[in-house]
Amino acid sequence: MDIEEVKQRAGPREFSPKDEMPEEYRKAATRMIQFHANSEIMGAYLEKPFIRQAPSLDRKLAFSAKVQDEIGHGQLLYRAAESLGIKTRDEMLDELAEGKGKFLNCFHYPMESYVETPMIAFFVDGAAMRRQATLKSTSWEPYAHAMDKVCFEEGFHVKHGEAILYELMTGSKKEQEMTQEAFEKWWPRIIQFFGPTNEKSTHHGFASEVGLKQMSNDDLRTAFLNAYIPKAEKYGLEIPDEPRISKNDDGTYEVVEEDLDWDEFFTIAKNDYEPGVGQINGRKAAQDAVEWVRESLDSHENRLYGSSQPQAAD
Amino acid sequence: MIWEVFRQEKSGDYHKHCGNVHAPDREMALLFAEVQHGRRKPTNSLWVTPQKEIGEVDTEDTAFGGTTDKSYRWAMTYNFEAAASEVEESESEQATADRERKAQIEGGS
């Protein structure tokens, strides 16, 4: 199939490993799904410490279930990416460990305090779920299948995050103040979650022409703001003055881009942002620590079947 | 090695394909399938099979049901009141299948 035919046929779940897809499509889809898979893994590691730090048994159990879910989503997505035949799961995991794998801006910032958890668990996950819901109709079928399961589980994550936010914002004055402070710290990052406006996004055009991406960053940001600004206000959070956000008559939002730190954003995008490097190295240490498990699984498989590599024609 | 995973929701249902996992052998494929695919949705049983062992024939290879008019094999063709409720049910199932099949042919490539 050539690119013109791909663009013509591009529709929800249109292409699968049975189709001979041009390399340009397979590379673009790999880049997108690998980014998504990496983000699931890095998000899980970000929240992992709060299994211990959460203040009640219920919260610990919920965080533990959620972290398991996110790792599982990573696994599903690496499978969907592998099915494009560009990279194996091992290669993608190694790239992530070596600081070459890219992932969401918000997961480069460490979380230091429990009051920060709803910023990830409610707002970032809410933003992610908005995007994931649209990806149920991406053109790469294995990716869409993964989204069915991811969205099925993600509902609990966002609700859990909202429950923590509610609890904190109806708690002591001190808790409310700390939560507002955390919100002010995270809000600009959350707005940047959707990336720069369309003109600046380099990959959007092609990904949307071949049906991989279903909605533009601007539309996703608008949908997110429409749903989550009222929620934030409902729980008594004050929306920070910056970035300046104004609502147009047609329901869309205008975000004043100069109010956001794009230098930091693009440093993060290159995996050069210092706290983020710590996050990457932290996960690398975990990967190294269980290298012996992977090795023994691989040698076991070799003994049984002669090879542990996924089939070339996979 | 990649193993395809099939989940049965409750006893007596069909096992339906739900995804695939990496695993070095069948035992671990079952374990990983359990963790990744049997945790939340109702699950009574899981099957795993090596991906290489799956055979497939699809609409590119064949015209399922043939290309000639086979209206004679559909209950709806015979314009009599159904003799019993089970005949009526069967006819209604056939009507649904026929509708979906036609929609697929029209909507498909």
Side-chain angles (χ1 to χ4, degrees), chain A residues 3 23 28 51 63 66 71 161 237 262 268 274 290 302 310:
Chain A
I3 280 294
E23 196 176 17
I51 300 172
F63 267 111
K66 190 188 163 187
I71 297 289
L237 288 170
W262 293 102
I268 282 175
E274 201 44 59
V290 291
N302 277 328

mmCIF file of all heavy atoms in Angstrom, chain A residues 3 23 28 51 63 66 71 161 237 262 268 274 290 302 310:
data_model
loop_
_atom_site.group_PDB
_atom_site.id
_atom_site.type_symbol
_atom_site.label_atom_id
_atom_site.label_comp_id
_atom_site.label_asym_id
_atom_site.label_seq_id
_atom_site.Cartn_x
_atom_site.Cartn_y
_atom_site.Cartn_z
ATOM 1 N N ILE A 3 1.381 5.572 0.357
ATOM 2 C CA ILE A 3 0.890 6.583 1.293
ATOM 3 C C ILE A 3 -0.437 7.183 0.836
ATOM 4 O O ILE A 3 -1.340 7.431 1.641
ATOM 5 C CB ILE A 3 1.965 7.679 1.491
ATOM 6 C CG1 ILE A 3 3.029 7.179 2.480
ATOM 7 C CG2 ILE A 3 1.377 8.980 1.959
ATOM 8 C CD1 ILE A 3 2.532 6.973 3.896
ATOM 9 N N GLU A 23 6.493 2.223 5.205
ATOM 10 C CA GLU A 23 7.350 2.444 6.358
ATOM 11 C C GLU A 23 7.031 3.768 7.068
ATOM 12 O O GLU A 23 7.096 3.854 8.291
ATOM 13 C CB GLU A 23 8.814 2.423 5.924
ATOM 14 C CG GLU A 23 9.736 2.262 7.106
ATOM 15 C CD GLU A 23 11.195 2.149 6.716
ATOM 16 O OE1 GLU A 23 11.530 2.524 5.570
ATOM 17 O OE2 GLU A 23 11.984 1.708 7.545
ATOM 18 N N ALA A 28 5.616 6.398 11.978
ATOM 19 C CA ALA A 28 4.824 7.422 12.674
ATOM 20 C C ALA A 28 3.985 6.770 13.778
ATOM 21 O O ALA A 28 3.893 7.284 14.894
ATOM 22 C CB ALA A 28 3.929 8.159 11.687
ATOM 23 N N ILE A 51 1.908 4.443 47.124
ATOM 24 C CA ILE A 51 1.303 3.234 47.692
ATOM 25 C C ILE A 51 1.688 3.217 49.175
ATOM 26 O O ILE A 51 0.875 2.938 50.039
ATOM 27 C CB ILE A 51 1.815 1.968 46.987
ATOM 28 C CG1 ILE A 51 1.463 2.007 45.491
ATOM 29 C CG2 ILE A 51 1.207 0.711 47.635
ATOM 30 C CD1 ILE A 51 2.085 0.890 44.677
ATOM 31 N N PHE A 63 -4.108 2.910 45.066
ATOM 32 C CA PHE A 63 -2.878 3.297 44.367
ATOM 33 C C PHE A 63 -2.149 2.073 43.826
ATOM 34 O O PHE A 63 -1.615 2.087 42.716
ATOM 35 C CB PHE A 63 -1.943 4.100 45.286
ATOM 36 C CG PHE A 63 -2.138 5.577 45.172
ATOM 37 C CD1 PHE A 63 -2.677 6.318 46.210
ATOM 38 C CD2 PHE A 63 -1.785 6.234 43.991
ATOM 39 C CE1 PHE A 63 -2.874 7.680 46.087
ATOM 40 C CE2 PHE A 63 -1.974 7.609 43.874
ATOM 41 C CZ PHE A 63 -2.533 8.329 44.925
ATOM 42 N N LYS A 66 -3.924 0.883 40.816
ATOM 43 C CA LYS A 66 -3.752 1.810 39.705
ATOM 44 C C LYS A 66 -2.370 1.672 39.074
ATOM 45 O O LYS A 66 -2.237 1.648 37.845
ATOM 46 C CB LYS A 66 -3.964 3.236 40.233
ATOM 47 C CG LYS A 66 -4.032 4.213 39.109
ATOM 48 C CD LYS A 66 -4.050 5.642 39.573
ATOM 49 C CE LYS A 66 -3.690 6.496 38.375
ATOM 50 N NZ LYS A 66 -3.519 7.893 38.730
ATOM 51 N N ILE A 71 1.117 -0.102 34.481
ATOM 52 C CA ILE A 71 2.160 -0.975 33.940
ATOM 53 C C ILE A 71 1.544 -1.899 32.883
ATOM 54 O O ILE A 71 2.114 -2.118 31.808
ATOM 55 C CB ILE A 71 2.838 -1.809 35.059
ATOM 56 C CG1 ILE A 71 3.558 -0.887 36.051
ATOM 57 C CG2 ILE A 71 3.796 -2.831 34.473
ATOM 58 C CD1 ILE A 71 4.808 -0.209 35.534
ATOM 59 N N GLY A 161 -8.822 9.822 41.663
ATOM 60 C CA GLY A 161 -8.142 11.107 41.784
ATOM 61 C C GLY A 161 -9.090 12.197 42.255
ATOM 62 O O GLY A 161 -8.742 13.029 43.097
ATOM 63 N N LEU A 237 -10.967 25.175 44.109
ATOM 64 C CA LEU A 237 -9.645 25.580 43.623
ATOM 65 C C LEU A 237 -9.786 26.876 42.830
ATOM 66 O O LEU A 237 -10.760 27.052 42.093
ATOM 67 C CB LEU A 237 -9.042 24.491 42.724
ATOM 68 C CG LEU A 237 -8.574 23.207 43.409
ATOM 69 C CD1 LEU A 237 -8.239 22.155 42.369
ATOM 70 C CD2 LEU A 237 -7.367 23.470 44.304
ATOM 71 N N TRP A 262 7.880 27.618 27.481
ATOM 72 C CA TRP A 262 8.117 26.654 26.395
ATOM 73 C C TRP A 262 9.565 26.189 26.334
ATOM 74 O O TRP A 262 9.838 25.116 25.812
ATOM 75 C CB TRP A 262 7.649 27.230 25.053
ATOM 76 C CG TRP A 262 6.159 27.380 25.051
ATOM 77 C CD1 TRP A 262 5.445 28.528 25.219
ATOM 78 C CD2 TRP A 262 5.185 26.316 24.976
ATOM 79 N NE1 TRP A 262 4.095 28.261 25.239
ATOM 80 C CE2 TRP A 262 3.906 26.920 25.089
ATOM 81 C CE3 TRP A 262 5.262 24.936 24.833
ATOM 82 C CZ2 TRP A 262 2.726 26.171 25.051
ATOM 83 C CZ3 TRP A 262 4.092 24.191 24.796
ATOM 84 C CH2 TRP A 262 2.833 24.809 24.906
ATOM 85 N N ILE A 268 12.292 19.466 28.311
ATOM 86 C CA ILE A 268 11.681 18.206 28.740
ATOM 87 C C ILE A 268 11.522 17.266 27.557
ATOM 88 O O ILE A 268 11.836 16.077 27.640
ATOM 89 C CB ILE A 268 10.308 18.481 29.406
ATOM 90 C CG1 ILE A 268 10.522 18.976 30.830
ATOM 91 C CG2 ILE A 268 9.424 17.246 29.394
ATOM 92 C CD1 ILE A 268 9.264 19.395 31.544
ATOM 93 N N GLU A 274 16.379 18.477 34.223
ATOM 94 C CA GLU A 274 17.125 17.801 35.302
ATOM 95 C C GLU A 274 16.265 16.891 36.199
ATOM 96 O O GLU A 274 16.570 15.706 36.309
ATOM 97 C CB GLU A 274 17.928 18.835 36.109
ATOM 98 C CG GLU A 274 19.085 18.242 36.895
ATOM 99 C CD GLU A 274 19.918 17.222 36.095
ATOM 100 O OE1 GLU A 274 20.478 17.565 35.035
ATOM 101 O OE2 GLU A 274 19.992 16.070 36.539
ATOM 102 N N VAL A 290 16.015 -5.966 37.920
ATOM 103 C CA VAL A 290 15.320 -7.215 37.586
ATOM 104 C C VAL A 290 15.792 -7.789 36.246
ATOM 105 O O VAL A 290 15.113 -8.604 35.632
ATOM 106 C CB VAL A 290 13.784 -7.051 37.588
ATOM 107 C CG1 VAL A 290 13.281 -6.821 38.998
ATOM 108 C CG2 VAL A 290 13.353 -5.916 36.675
ATOM 109 N N ASN A 302 14.639 -19.943 25.251
ATOM 110 C CA ASN A 302 15.594 -20.459 24.275
ATOM 111 C C ASN A 302 15.728 -21.970 24.361
ATOM 112 O O ASN A 302 15.821 -22.644 23.337
ATOM 113 C CB ASN A 302 16.979 -19.833 24.506
ATOM 114 C CG ASN A 302 17.056 -18.471 23.838
ATOM 115 O OD1 ASN A 302 16.434 -18.254 22.807
ATOM 116 N ND2 ASN A 302 17.808 -17.564 24.444
ATOM 117 N N PRO A 310 10.665 -11.975 19.109
ATOM 118 C CA PRO A 310 9.370 -12.026 18.415
ATOM 119 C C PRO A 310 9.597 -12.309 16.933
ATOM 120 O O PRO A 310 10.636 -11.926 16.388
ATOM 121 C CB PRO A 310 8.809 -10.616 18.596
ATOM 122 C CG PRO A 310 9.619 -9.976 19.664
ATOM 123 C CD PRO A 310 10.928 -10.673 19.706
#
